[in-house]
Amino acid sequence: MIVGKDDFITYIKEELRKLDFCNIDEVEIGEIINEQNNGILIEYTGVGLSQARDMNSIPVIYPFDFIEGAGGIVVFPGDDRSWLDKQNIRLWVAEYISGYCAFWNVDGCDWLHDALHAIKENRTSDTALKTAAYICARIAANIAVGRDVKRFPRFYLCRSLE
């Protein structure tokens, strides 16, 4: 399942179709996962991330718009989900990734630290949303064919593609 809202849902559907996914279901919070569904579920989250759905039984991809780029976190059944209880998950993840990059001296991540102020102000970027959709579609494709993907506490990070 890929979690998203608003324009992101449109962007992720476009990216998934480019990868020949044809079984894409968009669901609302509170709907029950159909056990027969073998495709991609995109959940509209509204204001926050959903805890209403039993997401402990399927891999979930969480995309993030970081203004100048995008990130993604993948959680599989049994993985740590405590970070989902944070007040502002987007900001928490941005600070987590920025801190990780600073601690390990990861090159090319300064843009994320510079974007933290805008993220705190809840600004968004259409380009970053499209980049997040691109990242998530490729993660979903890798999961679908059984390839290894980075799982939390690891993450995906990419400067905007446009």
Side-chain angles (χ1 to χ4, degrees):
M1 177 167 40
I2 302 171
V3 176
K5 65 178 189 172
D6 302 330
D7 290 338
F8 179 75
I9 291 173
T10 302
Y11 300 145
I12 192 63
K13 284 181 176 180
E14 289 171 6
E15 289 296 330
L16 289 169
R17 286 188 184 102
K18 288 179 187 176
L19 297 174
D20 293 328
F21 279 92
C22 56
N23 188 5
I24 304 168
D25 291 332
E26 182 179 330
V27 296
E28 297 288 333
I29 290 176
E31 288 183 18
I32 299 171
I33 294 175
N34 178 351
E35 296 296 329
Q36 301 300 316
N37 187 311
N38 293 322
I40 301 293
L41 296 172
I42 303 171
E43 180 172 20
Y44 174 78
T45 60
V47 176
L49 296 180
S50 170
Q51 295 297 332
R53 178 181 305 286
D54 177 17
M55 295 189 291
N56 293 320
S57 62
I58 59 174
V60 181
I61 304 167
Y62 295 94
F64 296 97
D65 161 1
F66 292 145
I67 312 297
E68 298 296 324
I73 291 182
V74 181
V75 180
F76 273 72
D79 289 349
D80 177 20
R81 295 170 187 265
S82 61
W83 61 277
L84 292 170
D85 296 329
K86 303 293 181 188
Q87 184 76 18
N88 183 336
I89 293 173
R90 179 179 175 230
L91 177 60
W92 184 87
V93 169
E95 289 174 340
Y96 166 75
I97 293 173
S98 178
Y100 178 96
C101 290
F103 182 82
W104 292 106
N105 294 317
V106 178
D107 288 331
C109 296
D110 292 342
W111 63 266
L112 179 57
H113 183 268
D114 295 342
L116 287 176
H117 182 72
I119 293 168
K120 287 177 185 174
E121 293 178 347
N122 272 338
R123 286 193 253 160
T124 61
S125 163
D126 198 50
T127 302
L129 285 174
K130 290 178 181 178
T131 301
Y134 178 87
I135 292 169
C136 290
R138 272 116 193 108
I139 294 168
N142 284 326
I143 291 170
V145 297
R147 290 189 186 122
D148 286 336
V149 296
K150 296 178 188 178
R151 296 162 56 168
F152 184 77
R154 295 172 61 208
F155 52 84
Y156 291 86
L157 183 65
C158 180
R159 191 156 197 158
S160 288
L161 298 173
E162 293 183 1

